[in-house]
Amino acid sequence: MQSNQASRSRITQAPLASAVRLAIASAFLIGSSAALAQTSAQEDPPATEGAATLETVSVLGSRSQPRSVSSSAVPIDIFSSEEFRNQGATDALDQLRVLVPSFNVSTIPIDDAASLVRPANLRGLPPDNTLLLVNGKRFHRSAVITFLGHGLSDGAQGPDLSVFPSLALEQVEVLRDGAAAQYGSDAIAGVINFGLKKLREGGTVEAFAGQFYEGDGFTTTYSAQIGLPVTERGFATLTAEWRQADATSRSVQRDDAAAADAAGYPDIANPSQIWGSPEIKDDIKFVANLGLETDALEFYLFGNYAKRSVDGGFYYRDATSRSGVYSNDGGETLLVGDLTGAGGCPTIALRDGAGNLLPYSVVGAAAGAMPANCFSFLSIFPGGFTPRFGGKLEDSSVVAGVKGLFGDAWHWDASVTYGRNEIDFQIYNTVNASLGPDQPAGFRFSPGGNVQTDSGVNFDVGRDFETTFTAQPLRFSAGAEWRKESFEIIAGDAASTGIGPLTTQGFALGSNGFNGFSPRTAGKFERENYAVYVDTEAQFTEQLLLAAAVRYEDFQDFGNTTTGKLTGRFDFTDSFAIRGAVNTGFRAPTPGQANISQITTAFAGTGLTDIATLPPTNPIAAIKGAQPLTPEESTNFSLGAVWNSGNWLVTADAYRIEVEDRIALSSSFDLTDAERAQLVASGNPEAASLTSVTYFGNAFDTTTTGVDLVTSYQSDHFGGTTTYSLAGNWNRTEVDRFNPDFVDEARVYKLEESLPRTKGYFSVNHKRDVFHANLRLSYYSSWYEDHLDSAVISIEDGGLPIYDDSAVIVDAEIGWTFDSGLYVNLGAQNLFDKVPDANPWGGIAGAQYPVHSPYGFNGGFYYARVGWKF
């Protein structure tokens, strides 16, 4: 049953939400059909001078050009800064989600570290199968490993796209094709490149505010940018952003909390557990992009700094059943500890002979009458407790380089890169049960953190060769690269890792919900690798373009690999062409995946359980069959067609991605009492309270097939410039091989069915004088959720399956840009407040809606953006 508070919120906000929807829809229709008595909008100053170009993902033009590159041999989407930013989302992940049909990301409400860095999926593959570039240079990965990725992203360690302010971006390019032969590890699903603005003068200041129709999640963002000249031939563009977002709640009361409340247990919140977006505080982002040209050389320097604090919810610990804290026999009797060994501690029943909860007045009185040496957590949290989990993220990077010419033909580019991502976890309102009443002040724990550091040196050369067998000069490039990657585990405080005196009496050790990183497993784990590569491109005739790339890469810990790529394009006419590519790729296991050790709490079946994620080399994992990791290997095929005639652009591309030995977390393996005892005796004391273990391994082979369709048409409809765009993706992943002793059928089913097979949008962008209006209809086909990762597909076997229908989400925005540089935008995302169907299992853990909806579960969001460009 929905809480009274949530009901009141929906009723109170309904008139306001309806008014907002009506106002935006009316303004959109009026503004797009009526002339405005204003002068023409101020033209944007040129954002770049000598825009950077990637070999495969090209920075190709202005905002007036089509969104997809019509002349390339592989499918590429290009989004201008204006298109990227003119929407209600303020996070780069959500901005990409509504623009790229094959890109999926969802709200992560209770998933440990994934709440800090949300996993995103391109073409149905894990986050670490997509490579992120900034100005064409490799960006470092995040320190977050997704322990709970709901099948698809389990164990992934991808980059954090959200550390960049969108105001800093000139354009965003998405290569929808494998590119490991050009860029190395991780580029299996594709490549995303953030191109930074290059301004010598002028700037922008802006304020953004918005909230959900429910009245929560209020978000404010303040941005500023300035361009400065550096001598007569240089520039410095500085961009800063500050953002804050309140938490949301789409929760109902849990059945167990309601039952305990009815039995008189005190201090039980309604709802006892929050499902929603976490609170984001002091989200600060800064980007600098500098360049300087001389007669012979071009110097460049760019980098970023970002930090934010995230505070999210966790699972409720029921005072009548939570194992390791309140009861170890399924809630029949209270877990009581003997603090001194004096004995005499009674057995206190929690239920009667029929399985009904005894009143708290009876249980509490019995617990209060215990001898002084006897202890239960009813004395501290009589109504149970709900931990709060989050942390502080800090991200920084710097890239410095110089370009030049050897003579008149050879061009070269030398650069050094450094990137660092650090996560400092925090958990509070929880206990280390093994410590008994000796808990830290404020019940706050510092479990430690992770640090990911990447550094590299890159040198590229290239030139054009005149030949007798090509219509244009043959383009040749080559390069060498050295990279060093490290993953550091920082130990938690003593309370978060402590193995207290009550451990042997069945009380759980470590900070409950997210155990601290043990000093025994803390440390820094490093790896070096180097690569050499060659890339050629030849226009053999005016119609036929062929290109090839080969890359050899050697890893310190996993050996070497050679990958290649062949692409081709044939232009039948000036307006119609076919294109295709075949390439091999790989992804090396990260040092983090090979060495991480963490104990977390997950919902298994109908209760919580402590699961240890361990390195494959750990003796506990070895007992359950762990083997050393090996790289993933992929083969990628694509075939497409391009039609570019006048104002029309249509591209259609089919693809097939075969990945062998995909790296993922295993299913959880239960530990027997004998195994626990053996491990403790062999020097692994943390095994004493473990229920089960999981580890990284090369889990399965998959084949992903799909089709991308991108179309656009530009017209002079409604007395202005009106662009119509239609983009869609059909994607399917099939598991070809899996080891049933490593992953179960439920995990396989999630891989194949959890994402919508079809996703797309239709948008209309209208500009007339100072006025603009955007309307977008996004379509999501039906999808599947294994609620709470029950690991069982069918209801009959105890599973919690959810099958939700297709949905259409409507976004709308109107705005005005005046000669003075002032601009005002008003809009709504999810204009008609579409949410998934109610969660049929809501009473189990309190989620009002399915928690992994591809379009979110928070509902409609309205916003205003006001700025001044000078």
Side-chain angles (χ1 to χ4, degrees):
M1 181 177 181
Q2 185 173 344
S3 69
N4 293 333
Q5 180 180 1
S7 299
R8 287 195 299 270
S9 176
R10 173 69 74 173
I11 293 170
T12 302
Q13 295 298 322
L16 177 59
S18 298
V20 169
R21 291 197 294 268
L22 179 60
I24 292 173
S26 300
F28 179 89
L29 293 174
I30 294 170
S32 62
S33 59
L36 297 176
Q38 298 288 348
T39 57
S40 297
Q42 176 178 324
E43 291 293 328
D44 292 334
T48 65
E49 296 180 5
T53 301
L54 302 177
E55 293 176 355
T56 307
V57 184
S58 301
V59 179
L60 285 179
S62 66
R63 298 173 179 177
S64 63
Q65 289 186 325
R67 63 181 295 276
S68 188
V69 183
S70 61
S71 59
S72 67
V74 288
I76 302 171
D77 292 329
I78 292 186
F79 305 101
S80 68
S81 175
E82 182 181 74
E83 186 176 6
F84 199 67
R85 300 183 67 247
N86 283 353
Q87 51 176 297
T90 56
D91 188 302
L93 286 171
D94 291 315
Q95 290 168 329
L96 278 171
R97 175 178 61 84
V98 299
L99 293 174
V100 181
S102 58
F103 190 86
N104 287 277
V105 63
S106 59
T107 300
I108 306 294
I110 302 180
D111 276 345
D112 287 346
S115 300
L116 282 77
V117 178
R118 294 183 295 157
N121 313 105
L122 181 65
R123 286 187 162 179
L125 293 174
D128 46 16
N129 278 196
T130 300
L131 178 62
L132 176 63
L133 306 176
V134 179
N135 281 352
K137 303 296 182 181
R138 174 185 282 264
F139 192 71
H140 57 277
R141 70 179 79 250
S142 158
V144 164
I145 296 177
T146 307
F147 296 116
L148 304 175
H150 296 271
L152 181 59
S153 300
D154 287 353
Q157 187 185 359
D160 184 3
L161 279 67
S162 66
V163 297
F164 285 90
S166 59
L167 186 60
L169 305 179
E170 172 61 23
Q171 61 184 33
V172 178
E173 304 94 10
V174 180
L175 167 65
R176 294 178 275 110
D177 196 52
Q182 283 97 357
Y183 301 110
S185 179
D186 303 348
I188 291 178
V191 180
I192 297 174
N193 179 66
F194 284 169
L196 303 179
K197 288 180 180 175
K198 300 178 180 180
L199 299 178
R200 283 179 47 85
E201 60 184 15
T204 303
V205 291
E206 180 182 283
F208 172 96
Q211 72 173 14
F212 289 99
Y213 291 3
E214 284 276 5
D216 56 9
F218 183 72
T219 301
T220 53
T221 303
Y222 300 98
S223 306
Q225 182 177 73
I226 190 167
L228 302 170
V230 178
T231 73
E232 295 182 353
R233 301 177 63 181
F235 68 91
T237 306
L238 309 177
T239 309
E241 178 182 287
W242 178 89
R243 181 174 75 109
Q244 190 152 309
D246 294 342
T248 67
S249 175
R250 303 295 179 265
S251 312
V252 297
Q253 184 63 302
R254 291 174 49 134
D255 293 342
D256 53 359
D261 185 60
Y265 282 77
D267 304 326
I268 299 177
N270 187 3
S272 60
Q273 178 177 319
I274 302 299
W275 291 89
S277 301
E279 180 184 9
I280 300 175
K281 296 177 288 186
D282 295 327
D283 186 1
I284 299 172
K285 304 169 186 176
F286 175 77
V287 170
N289 189 25
L290 296 86
L292 177 64
E293 292 185 12
T294 69
D295 290 339
L297 300 172
E298 178 184 344
F299 298 91
Y300 56 89
L301 175 69
F302 59 89
N304 81 292
Y305 175 79
K307 70 174 184 177
R308 64 174 175 264
S309 297
V310 178
D311 187 358
F314 246 33
Y315 289 104
Y316 166 68
R317 271 61 177 166
D318 179 18
T320 67
S321 64
R322 172 58 175 136
S323 63
V325 183
Y326 290 103
S327 176
N328 273 351
D329 57 7
E332 293 297 324
T333 62
L334 184 67
L335 180 59
V336 177
D338 186 348
L339 300 177
T340 65
C345 296
T347 298
I348 299 176
L350 294 171
R351 284 172 169 78
D352 60 22
N356 301 310
L357 284 178
L358 293 172
Y360 176 75
S361 58
V362 174
V363 177
M370 292 189 301
N373 64 296
C374 300
F375 169 80
S376 84
F377 275 96
L378 286 180
S379 64
I380 298 178
F381 291 112
F385 60 93
T386 304
R388 297 289 298 178
F389 175 79
K392 296 180 179 180
L393 177 146
E394 189 169 1
D395 185 276
S396 59
S397 70
V398 62
V399 176
V402 58
K403 301 177 182 179
L405 288 174
F406 291 127
D408 295 327
W410 288 93
H411 56 84
W412 57 271
D413 181 350
S415 62
V416 293
T417 62
Y418 175 83
R420 186 177 190 271
N421 185 273
E422 179 177 0
I423 304 290
D424 181 20
F425 297 111
Q426 301 290 327
I427 188 169
Y428 63 98
N429 199 49
T430 189
V431 300
N432 179 339
S434 70
L435 300 177
D438 188 19
Q439 300 295 321
F443 301 98
R444 287 182 171 271
F445 299 81
S446 296
N450 299 136
V451 181
Q452 174 74 25
T453 303
D454 291 3
S455 55
V457 178
N458 181 272
F459 184 73
D460 292 321
V461 297
R463 66 163 293 176
D464 292 349
F465 291 95
E466 295 288 347
T467 68
T468 59
F469 56 86
T470 60
Q472 299 176 13
L474 183 146
R475 307 188 67 179
F476 171 85
S477 61
E481 184 176 63
W482 170 88
R483 291 195 297 121
K484 183 177 182 179
E485 184 176 356
S486 72
F487 183 83
E488 183 178 1
I489 302 173
I490 301 174
D493 60 17
S496 71
T497 62
I499 303 174
L502 297 185
T503 301
T504 57
Q505 299 180 44
F507 286 79
L509 59 87
S511 45
N512 201 272
F514 193 92
N515 283 25
F517 294 108
S518 167
R520 295 178 61 251
T521 59
K524 180 181 287 188
F525 309 94
E526 298 181 334
R527 176 180 70 200
E528 296 183 17
N529 67 285
Y530 69 88
V532 292
Y533 43 91
V534 175
D535 199 327
T536 61
E537 180 181 298
Q539 190 79 44
F540 284 92
T541 69
E542 294 299 330
Q543 294 175 294
L544 178 62
L545 169 71
L546 295 176
V550 177
R551 184 184 186 96
Y552 171 85
E553 194 145 2
D554 186 270
F555 286 82
Q556 184 180 28
D557 49 356
F558 294 106
N560 58 69
T561 183
T562 301
T563 55
K565 182 170 185 176
L566 294 173
T567 60
R569 176 187 173 105
F570 189 85
D571 289 81
F572 288 92
T573 67
D574 291 339
S575 59
F576 179 74
I578 61 171
R579 62 189 182 186
V582 57
N583 64 82
T584 59
F586 73 102
R587 189 184 75 80
T590 70
Q593 291 172 324
N595 295 283
I596 189 65
S597 179
Q598 172 58 32
I599 299 174
T600 188
T601 300
F603 202 98
T606 57
L608 298 178
T609 184
D610 293 329
I611 301 176
T613 302
L614 303 172
T617 54
N618 187 284
I620 303 176
I623 283 181
K624 296 302 181 180
Q627 299 291 327
L629 296 175
T630 61
E632 300 176 352
E633 296 183 348
S634 67
T635 305
N636 193 319
F637 305 90
S638 66
L639 180 64
V642 179
W643 183 56
N644 186 13
S645 177
N647 293 335
W648 277 100
L649 171 64
V650 180
T651 68
D653 296 274
Y655 57 88
R656 178 182 177 91
I657 308 170
E658 300 172 355
V659 186
E660 296 181 355
D661 296 327
R662 278 180 57 169
I663 300 167
L665 280 174
S666 69
S667 301
S668 58
F669 299 97
D670 293 336
L671 286 172
T672 66
D673 292 339
E675 288 171 336
R676 272 189 290 269
Q678 175 187 345
L679 290 165
V680 171
S682 62
N684 298 276
E686 65 275 6
S689 67
L690 293 184
T691 304
S692 56
V693 299
T694 185
Y695 54 85
F696 286 96
N698 297 93
F700 38 77
D701 301 341
T702 62
T703 297
T704 299
T705 54
V707 177
D708 287 324
L709 174 67
V710 177
T711 68
S712 65
Y713 173 70
Q714 191 173 82
S715 72
D716 57 2
H717 294 166
F718 311 114
T721 299
T722 303
T723 302
Y724 303 90
S725 299
L726 174 67
N729 170 257
W730 177 85
N731 189 89
R732 179 178 182 180
T733 294
E734 295 179 289
V735 176
D736 304 318
R737 176 197 63 84
F738 73 98
N739 181 354
D741 295 328
F742 185 89
V743 293
D744 53 34
E745 291 187 0
R747 171 72 179 280
V748 170
Y749 194 74
K750 284 189 287 186
L751 281 167
E752 295 182 335
E753 303 294 338
S754 61
L755 293 178
R757 291 279 178 89
T758 304
K759 179 187 168 190
Y761 73 80
F762 172 73
S763 69
V764 181
N765 185 342
H766 174 73
K767 293 183 180 181
R768 180 176 181 176
D769 298 327
V770 300
F771 177 76
H772 81 265
N774 301 320
L775 180 68
R776 179 187 299 109
L777 281 69
S778 300
Y779 172 79
Y780 300 82
S781 67
S782 58
W783 49 278
Y784 164 78
E785 178 178 309
D786 177 11
H787 191 57
L788 304 177
D789 285 334
S790 61
V792 183
I793 300 172
S794 65
I795 300 174
E796 293 76 14
D797 294 331
L800 305 176
I802 297 176
Y803 296 90
D804 205 65
D805 294 331
S806 60
V808 175
I809 307 298
V810 180
D811 303 330
E813 180 182 275
I814 57 174
W816 298 263
T817 303
F818 303 100
D819 282 342
S820 63
L822 175 69
Y823 60 90
V824 179
N825 295 342
L826 302 173
Q829 283 202 302
N830 196 350
L831 181 65
F832 298 107
D833 200 20
K834 171 64 178 176
V835 293
D837 293 339
N839 175 15
W841 320 109
I844 296 176
Q848 184 178 3
Y849 303 111
V851 296
H852 292 283
S853 163
Y855 52 88
F857 55 77
N858 282 314
F861 181 87
Y862 54 90
Y863 62 91
R865 187 190 307 271
V866 179
W868 177 49
K869 184 177 293 185
F870 57 91

